[in-house]
């Protein structure tokens, strides 16, 4: 058995939570391998909408083991809130959740530092979710972080206060105002809560599961264009959101990777700062945002909207070795007369490229578009690929041709039922 991977191929919010929930019944384990509470993964079923931040999206399927891997950064305070929210819905995952002892902990001062650094960047700010992601990964790479396994040590408090002292010195240097007493208290309460969960070496757990023939799904967070190495740096997150992150974030060898499901919206969105070549500032952009309810699941910020960007998508498919594509939010385009697809970028020197450049300066890049006719009808109630409107099938065929990878799912609404699968899909 192998680890199948589900990744967002754009700037996040492609609909990963929904699709993990749809695929989960085919798997024994659902795992998170990077990111943290910056993620907001939405699932909808039985008329209820759930947003998960740190907990894997397999939790609503009772027989699945959910794993928070070593590559994740975990905020215990957010974790406690998320578990309590699930309990209030009578979803008890205490038996089915395993947390790596190597997962890094987000401290309250990491969140303060995030805000402090953003403020200091002024106009060049990243537009971080301010969940402490960057500073926590900085401490990890700087070999100064605290890990979940450390909460079982009698030295936890001493280690914690040593880190907080170091962070406070930085905050003072920036003359950043803060209050710590309440958050220290909340942190230690949440740590006590966290102790009641299964904290294990998840690399052994996952590799044993593979030996036992169990099927594993790795759930990406963020999107490939936010990858710290390959994304639109510095306007990225601080982890490897691409397929390689699965190996380092779970302890899985590359030879054990199976299908790579790449998911993308039928258009593009982005939250926060950074280049976005196909961004629309006109009435069409407004319409995409309104019809697609494009507001951040974590911060509520309006998402920037634009047409589908094939150079960016091809790049994401290339670096991830995507084997199957899933197209999300097709229904958002239902009423458009015409759909535009960016096929190439025109550079300032007149050259035309379909590569994702090192330096993307939107003012300097002119997207070249291919136009297709819209389908101008609702997708409500459609269940089979063959029933999709002709113009939508033309859109899908055109993209498959361009991208060289089959599109095996078309999503037609937020509910788990609004998912049209091609027969041959799935490992
Ligand atoms: P994630 O971070 O990749 O899990 O995506 P988010 O949950 O942040 O954002 C995706 C949003 O689109 C959520 O509000 C979903 O409920 C919604 N959604 C997912 N698939 C579809 C779809 O096919 N159509 C529509 N209209 N909404 C969808
Ligand atoms: P999901 O998993 C969309 C963006 C932020 C900011 C940049 C850095 O729901 O797809 P960070 O908080 O990581 O320091 O922010 O990355 N960002 C996301 N955008 N979806 C996400 O997660 C995101 N996580 C981070 O808006 O531009
Ligand atoms: Mg999201």
């Amino acid at each position: 058995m192998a680890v199948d991977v589900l990744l967002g191929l754009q700037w996040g919010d492609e609909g990963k939570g929904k699709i993990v929930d749809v695929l989960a019944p085919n798997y024994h384990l659902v795992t998170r391998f990077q990111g943290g509470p910056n993620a907001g993964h939405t699932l909808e079923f039985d008329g209820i909408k759930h947003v998960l931040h740190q907990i894997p999206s397999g939790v609503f399927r009772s027989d699945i083991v959910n794993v928070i891997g070593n590559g994740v950064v975990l905020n215990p305070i957010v974790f406690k809130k998320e578990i309590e929210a699930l309990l209030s819905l009578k979803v008890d995952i205490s038996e089915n959740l395993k947390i790596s002892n190597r997962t890094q902990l987000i401290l309250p001062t990491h969140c303060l530092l995030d805000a402090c650094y953003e403020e200091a960047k002024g106009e060049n700010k990243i537009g971080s979710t301010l969940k402490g992601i960057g500073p926590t990964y900085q401490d990890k790479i700087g070999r100064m972080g605290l890990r979940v396994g450390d909460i079982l040590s009698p030295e936890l408090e001493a280690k914690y206060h040593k880190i907080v002292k170091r962070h406070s010195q930085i905050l003072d240097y920036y003359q950043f105002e803060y209050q710590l007493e309440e958050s220290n208290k909340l942190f230690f309460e949440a740590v006590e809560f966290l102790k009641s969960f299964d904290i294990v070496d998840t690399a052994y757990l996952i590799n044993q599961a593979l030996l036992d023939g169990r099927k594993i799904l790795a759930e990406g967070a963020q999107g490939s264009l936010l990858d710290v190495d390959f994304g639109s740096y510095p306007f990225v997150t601080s982890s490897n959101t691409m397929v390689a992150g699965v190996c380092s974030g779970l302890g899985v060898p590359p030879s054990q990777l199976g299908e790579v499901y790449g998911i993308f919206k039928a258009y593009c969105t982005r939250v926060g700062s950074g280049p976005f070549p196909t961004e629309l500032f006109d009435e069409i952009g407004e319409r995409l945002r309104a019809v697609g309810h494009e507001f951040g699941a974590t911060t509520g910020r309006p998402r920037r909207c634009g047409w589908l960007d094939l150079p960016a998508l091809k790049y994401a498919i290339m670096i991830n070795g995507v084997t199957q594509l899933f197209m999300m939010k097709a229904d958002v385009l239902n009423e458009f007369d015409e759909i535009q697809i960016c096929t190439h970028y025109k550079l300032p020197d007149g050259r035309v490229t379909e590569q994702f450049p090192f330096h993307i300066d939107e003012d300097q890049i002119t997207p070249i578009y291919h136009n297709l006719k819209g389908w101008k009808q609702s997708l409500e109630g459609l269940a089979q690929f063959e029933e999709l409107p002709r113009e939508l099938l033309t859109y899908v065929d055109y993209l498959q041709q361009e991208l060289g990878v089959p599109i095996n799912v078309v999503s037609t609404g937020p509910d788990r039922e609004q998912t049209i699968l091609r027969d041959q899909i799935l490992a």
Side-chain angles (χ1 to χ4, degrees), residues 12-14 16 39-42 297-298 303:
D13 303 328
E14 297 88 351
K16 298 176 289 291
H41 293 183
T42 314
T298 297
R303 295 179 183 141

Side-chain angles (χ1 to χ4, degrees), residues 8 11-16 32 34-42 52-53 114 118 125-135 137 219-223 226 234-239 269-274 296-299 301 303-304:
W11 282 285
D13 303 328
E14 297 88 351
K16 298 176 289 291
R32 281 276 310 266
Q34 48 71 229
N38 48 350
H41 293 183
T42 314
L52 296 171
H53 299 287
D114 212 352
E118 281 285 82
K125 70 174 186 194
I126 308 295
S128 160
T129 59
L130 305 181
K131 302 294 176 194
I133 306 299
Y137 278 115
E219 170 182 1
Q222 290 74 56
L226 289 172
F235 301 101
V236 293
T237 191
S238 300
S239 62
T269 65
R270 174 164 203 168
V271 213
S273 329
T298 297
T299 57
R301 289 178 291 177
R303 295 179 183 141
R304 301 156 61 193

Side-chain angles (χ1 to χ4, degrees), residues 43-94:
L43 295 74
E44 260 187 67
F45 52 88
D46 300 338
I48 304 177
K49 175 171 155 173
H50 307 270
V51 182
L52 296 171
H53 299 287
Q54 303 181 116
I55 313 276
S57 300
V59 287
F60 295 103
R61 310 282 190 171
S62 58
D63 45 352
I64 287 172
V65 174
N66 291 276
V67 177
I68 297 180
N70 56 279
V72 170
V73 289
L74 184 82
N75 183 330
I77 301 173
V78 177
F79 176 80
K80 182 165 179 277
K81 282 196 195 132
E82 280 201 85
I83 298 285
E84 286 170 351
L86 288 169
L87 279 173
S88 72
L89 299 169
K90 309 236 174 318
V91 181
D92 180 0
I93 57 162
S94 48

